[in-house]
Amino acid sequence: MARAGWTDVPAQTLWTLPEGDGLKTVYAQVRDRRGLLSQVATATVILDRVAPELVLTFEGMVVGPPVLQLPLILGTDIAGLRWRVTGGVWSDWRAPDDGSLVALPDRFAIYALEVQARDLAGNLSAIRTIAVTVVPAAIFLPQIAGP
């Protein structure tokens, strides 16, 4: 803990935190005009400047219906997911437990689906791209042998 000198009370104070991410504690004490000291006040913060990692469990092309379960491994610090079909508009942020089902257009096509995560501190992951082929529902017609 580095000691700082006494200063006039500013409307706002900037703190320089020690290097590295993790748990940090800030200490402050005030002194009145007569020189009486307050108790030391502390505040604990978690410094997080590391972007979350979004891991694909399948790197190839996904074939399926228009509703797709994203093939992702999510870290414990992920607070939300969003996606878009390449060139489209990003979806709203969704909580990881309800954000891994993606609705795609309901027509046969090959899409590039971009997925991004953010952590509790607001850091954004790299954008990962998944190739998705949407296939129409198939009807199974068994072969009937004739007489």
Side-chain angles (χ1 to χ4, degrees):
M1 171 172 79
R3 292 198 171 265
W6 291 102
T7 64
D8 290 336
V9 178
Q12 184 176 356
T13 300
L14 298 177
W15 301 91
T16 301
L17 298 174
E19 286 295 319
D21 286 359
L23 196 63
K24 310 290 179 184
T25 304
V26 177
Y27 301 87
Q29 186 175 37
V30 294
R31 164 175 78 182
D32 67 14
R33 289 190 173 106
R34 294 188 304 194
L36 298 173
L37 300 177
S38 71
Q39 292 184 0
V40 175
T42 62
T44 304
V45 296
I46 298 173
L47 181 60
D48 178 5
R49 296 172 294 183
V50 177
E53 187 175 351
L54 194 57
V55 178
L56 297 178
T57 59
F58 183 74
E59 300 273 346
M61 183 173 289
V62 177
V63 178
V67 176
L68 172 69
Q69 175 78 38
L70 293 174
L72 303 173
I73 295 176
L74 303 176
T76 57
D77 66 336
I78 292 183
L81 292 172
R82 68 179 182 169
W83 57 85
R84 68 179 175 183
V85 175
T86 302
V89 177
W90 284 104
S91 70
D92 292 334
W93 287 102
R94 305 266 174 95
D97 48 342
D98 67 353
S100 60
L101 287 176
V102 174
L104 294 167
D106 189 14
R107 63 180 183 277
F108 174 74
I110 298 173
Y111 300 97
L113 182 66
E114 296 177 319
V115 183
Q116 189 174 41
R118 77 174 169 200
D119 64 15
L120 296 170
N123 300 311
L124 299 178
S125 72
I127 295 171
R128 301 300 307 262
T129 303
I130 304 167
V132 179
T133 300
V134 173
V135 294
I139 298 176
F140 176 71
L141 296 174
Q143 184 175 3
I144 301 172

